[in-house]
Amino acid sequence: MAFFTTVALLWILSVAAAQNTLQNVALRGRSTQSTNFEGLSSSLNAIDGNLDPIYARGSCFSSKQEASPWWRVDLLQTYRISYISITNRGDCCADYINGAEILIGDSLANNGNNNPRFAKITAIPLGGTDTFESCTGMTGRYVNIILPGTTGYLTFCEVQIFGVPVTPHCNN
């Protein structure tokens, strides 16, 4: 009986440890965007680990003004996403992210913009960070942020994606 109690305790501790070890998997990803605004903007700025909300300091992303601008990160494998935090610009243009959608999935159809919606961003205050959670943990390799059906700029400074790898199961 003590053996089963020990095994159960070890299993509980390992589950608890795994839940506390969520990492920002975006840091290992590869990013791209529909367009890139001139100057210091780069899609990579949004996954550099730097939460600085001032565009002029080189840690923010901005698209050009266009129809349905988007940004995407390839996480290089499929993850079960628990939550995503986005830091908005702090120097201007806080409303450039209003109405954006966060999409997660494994498809690159339409540049990944056909994947299911994880969350809709109504507004993030100037320089603020907002967190979007999933009770069920959506899975996907690609995370997109898009302003669907809108002509404008898309801009933000950091995207942090917390999740765990999805491991394939063998059917032997």
Side-chain angles (χ1 to χ4, degrees):
M1 186 70 150
F3 171 75
F4 292 111
T5 305
T6 303
V7 170
L9 179 60
L10 289 174
W11 180 79
I12 290 169
L13 291 174
S14 69
V15 169
Q19 291 174 345
N20 290 328
T21 59
L22 290 177
Q23 296 180 0
N24 179 6
V25 297
L27 293 171
R28 295 177 233 146
R30 296 196 176 114
S31 62
T32 190
Q33 70 284 325
S34 53
T35 59
N36 194 28
F37 191 76
E38 300 86 23
L40 301 171
S41 176
S42 167
S43 68
L44 290 172
N45 292 351
I47 55 170
D48 64 359
N50 185 346
L51 301 176
D52 187 345
I54 306 302
Y55 181 85
R57 292 191 268 222
S59 187
C60 298
F61 155 77
S62 181
S63 72
K64 293 180 180 179
Q65 185 174 19
E66 63 178 316
S68 299
W70 56 268
W71 173 94
R72 179 181 72 233
V73 63
D74 177 353
L75 300 174
L76 307 177
Q77 72 180 79
T78 300
Y79 285 87
R80 179 168 307 284
I81 308 299
S82 295
Y83 63 97
I84 297 174
S85 294
I86 299 176
T87 301
N88 202 3
R89 281 182 65 170
D91 50 358
C92 79
C93 320
D95 60 332
Y96 284 8
I97 199 165
N98 294 357
E101 295 182 357
I102 303 169
L103 312 174
I104 297 176
D106 288 321
S107 172
L108 278 177
N110 188 25
N111 291 304
N113 293 316
N114 291 347
N115 284 318
R117 185 166 76 180
F118 179 80
K120 182 167 184 168
I121 302 167
T122 52
I124 301 175
L126 199 64
T129 299
D130 205 350
T131 299
F132 306 88
E133 298 182 58
S134 169
C135 294
T136 59
M138 287 180 70
T139 61
R141 175 177 172 170
Y142 305 103
V143 175
N144 285 44
I145 300 175
I146 182 172
L147 278 171
T150 302
T151 297
Y153 296 90
L154 176 63
T155 186
F156 45 86
C157 293
E158 193 67 21
V159 177
Q160 299 171 290
I161 303 168
F162 295 89
V164 295
V166 173
T167 55
H169 292 53
C170 297
N171 294 325
N172 294 337

